[in-house]
Amino acid sequence: MIISKVADLRQELKSKDPGAKVGLVPTMGYLHRGHLSLIERARAENDIVVLSIFVNPTQFAPNEDFDSYPRDLEKDCKLAYQSGANYIFAPSDKEMYGANYSTYVNVDGNISRGLCGKSRPNHFRGVTTIVSKLFNIVNPSNAYFGMKDAQQLSIINRMVKDLNYNINIVPCPIVRDENGLALSSRNAYLTDEAKKQALILSRSLKEAKTLYLEGENNAQELKRYIRGKINSMSLAKIDYVEIVDQETLENIDYINRPSIIALAVYFGKSRLLDNIVLEDK
Amino acid sequence: MIISKVADLRQELKSKDPGAKVGLVPTMGYLHRGHLSLIERARAENDIVVLSIFVNPTQFAPNEDFDSYPRDLEKDCKLAYQSGANYIFAPSDKEMYGANYSTYVNVDGNISRGLCGKSRPNHFRGVTTIVSKLFNIVNPSNAYFGMKDAQQLSIINRMVKDLNYNINIVPCPIVRDENGLALSSRNAYLTDEAKKQALILSRSLKEAKTLYLEGENNAQELKRYIRGKINSMSLAKIDYVEIVDQETLENIDYINRPSIIALAVYFGKSRLLDNIVLEDK
């Protein structure tokens, strides 16, 4: 069932057994297999699965791709039902941000400042605000987020802890295409050539992890290695390549705790994210 | 039952009938009859009444009275039980703001900028943050707030609407002592002489309302009248006297819609608030 009004979704959920477990999968739509893996996981772990599809204006800067962000609600619904969603919540901008809208949830500090927060200053404020709203509307037991957006995941974990949301955040592994490219709705912007060159992202992350497992703990060395690989591609423009503590996202020089190598790289107008976790050896 | 841990309060509430109505009364303690009227109202309208007592550090500026704010948990508990509270949630600072705490809820815009927001720049950010946390912990059907803190009430209404909290906010009338002084925990700071002089606040508001009802719709005139009255008191130092739209809190010049005359006045180190509603004639 597609629902566009907050009140209608509340009414539907209220009519269910109050003990029913509700799983929420927040998305911006244009679903790919990564999203579907979240829905399937939610299906397996809950009685009711709510998928939200909302291209959230407050997480885009004026110069970003809000208007051109790909949308296909009809196809999304078909895929979502096949994967086990019960409700698709697809509200309008006006439904989510009415007249005189004024309230924002913000996670301050280092966790928001580095990585994507540096080039997208108000992005995460928009993310935490819309996610709070969805949490308050759906009141889920579990909420599902992809690990491709590593910083988003850390920030949401921080918010849930700080604001005492009684919600279990379930991180879901990155889903990749057959060549290793991390799936993203923004891959739709890539030319064939860019798509080919973008494979360097996952490949260089994987190689750096191998170097780490073979004994290289110096973060500068690993970053230099990855940057060199990416810069060898004519269409690539690095936004950042960083190695950070998995929980706090603080930069680290010597890798001696669970860490992430995270990167953002432009290929034309597409800004692609990828990352790889370095567990303790 | 006094509870100091979030997890314990959750456990208690979870053990109740899921259909039970929970009423929340958030306070900073040192209860007076104003607070008790909130508890009594909550008792009448809910199955379970949770009173929170927490002197919230994030709503005090460094130069304010956080350390000296009056506290008396033992007496508070006695009064609260007598008025019908079932649970008293009295957490430590550390329980509410743990290590690396980073998340704040903020209501931007005119509603927060004027009145108390002018002289207490981060005050309401602290209020909305702690109230969000309490909402997420208690998940109440109804939450009770006194109308003495008129701006706080408007901001919380805005937050509830914006963040889609499914909570009914119940505004409760100002409770006054036998001479008309609005009850406040901060009245404990007043000398006898200040307490006598402070009666000018409610008296001048009441007189201004009479002038309004007799035909004076010019906000400047009414404010000038009140300021003159207050300035005749030797110990009074006006922070503000304003007439604002009841919902948006925007300043108005000509009174033609539901409005509030709101004021904040120092008597010694006590900053006292009072207000009166001007309904449509």
Side-chain angles (χ1 to χ4, degrees), chain A residues 4-280:
Chain A
S4 62
K5 298 286 180 194
V6 171
D8 293 343
L9 180 56
R10 276 220 176 98
Q11 193 59 37
E12 270 296 325
L13 294 173
K14 208 182 154 186
S15 71
K16 305 293 169 190
D17 173 1
K21 261 195 190 168
V22 177
L24 170 68
V25 182
T27 79
M28 299 210 299
Y30 213 71
L31 304 181
H32 52 62
R33 281 190 296 112
H35 298 112
L36 303 184
S37 74
L38 271 55
I39 300 172
E40 287 157 11
R41 176 104 183 248
R43 175 73 283 152
E45 298 177 348
N46 300 274
D47 302 307
I48 298 166
V49 175
V50 178
L51 172 78
S52 66
I53 297 182
F54 181 62
V55 184
N56 174 34
T58 63
Q59 70 191 69
F60 289 80
N63 62 328
E64 291 181 346
D65 57 346
F66 174 71
D67 287 329
S68 61
Y69 196 86
R71 293 158 167 93
D72 189 343
L73 186 58
E74 203 176 324
K75 191 178 164 202
D76 284 349
C77 291
K78 211 176 128 193
L79 291 169
Y81 293 136
Q82 283 171 3
S83 300
N86 299 106
Y87 297 106
I88 296 170
F89 180 53
S92 66
D93 293 2
K94 210 179 138 197
E95 179 72 3
M96 296 310 268
Y97 299 105
N100 297 317
Y101 189 93
S102 310
T103 308
Y104 295 91
V105 178
N106 199 25
V107 176
D108 286 344
N110 286 332
I111 200 169
S112 301
R113 251 175 244 138
L115 308 181
C116 293
K118 211 165 178 175
S119 48
R120 307 187 72 187
N122 278 320
H123 171 66
F124 289 116
R125 189 185 76 148
V127 170
T128 41
T129 299
I130 193 69
V131 169
S132 284
K133 286 167 65 68
L134 291 168
F135 284 178
N136 294 338
I137 294 165
V138 175
N139 199 15
S141 303
N142 300 297
Y144 296 79
F145 293 89
M147 287 167 74
K148 180 169 69 63
D149 303 296
Q151 190 175 16
Q152 170 175 286
L153 181 60
S154 296
I155 288 172
I156 285 169
N157 275 323
R158 183 77 250 174
M159 175 187 85
V160 164
K161 196 173 174 184
D162 285 352
L163 292 187
N164 304 101
Y165 277 107
N166 193 17
I167 297 171
N168 179 39
I169 301 299
V170 184
C172 300
I174 298 176
V175 175
R176 301 177 179 282
D177 74 8
E178 63 282 11
N179 300 311
L181 181 66
L183 296 187
S184 164
S185 305
R186 287 189 171 99
N187 291 353
Y189 303 147
L190 293 173
T191 63
D192 285 349
E193 177 58 24
K195 210 162 181 178
K196 212 184 309 170
Q197 292 194 13
L199 298 179
I200 196 64
L201 303 182
S202 57
R203 202 174 300 146
S204 61
L205 285 171
K206 216 170 146 191
E207 287 168 12
K209 182 165 183 173
T210 302
L211 293 174
Y212 163 74
L213 292 172
E214 286 169 2
E216 180 60 84
N217 287 69
N218 184 318
Q220 293 302 341
E221 287 306 322
L222 293 175
K223 289 192 280 186
R224 188 173 304 139
Y225 178 84
I226 295 170
R227 286 188 184 122
K229 286 277 177 176
I230 295 172
N231 283 330
S232 73
M233 294 294 160
S234 61
L235 298 174
K237 203 181 137 250
I238 292 176
D239 180 6
Y240 65 79
V241 175
E242 299 291 357
I243 301 185
V244 295
D245 179 288
Q246 195 173 9
E247 195 190 330
T248 66
L249 300 189
E250 282 179 17
N251 276 303
I252 58 183
D253 294 322
Y254 187 81
I255 306 165
N256 55 3
R257 54 190 187 277
S259 311
I260 307 177
I261 315 179
L263 54 79
V265 177
Y266 287 93
F267 285 87
K269 65 170 186 167
S270 270
R271 186 170 167 281
L272 303 184
L273 303 182
D274 205 345
N275 66 76
I276 202 163
V277 176
L278 306 179
E279 296 97 353
D280 279 334

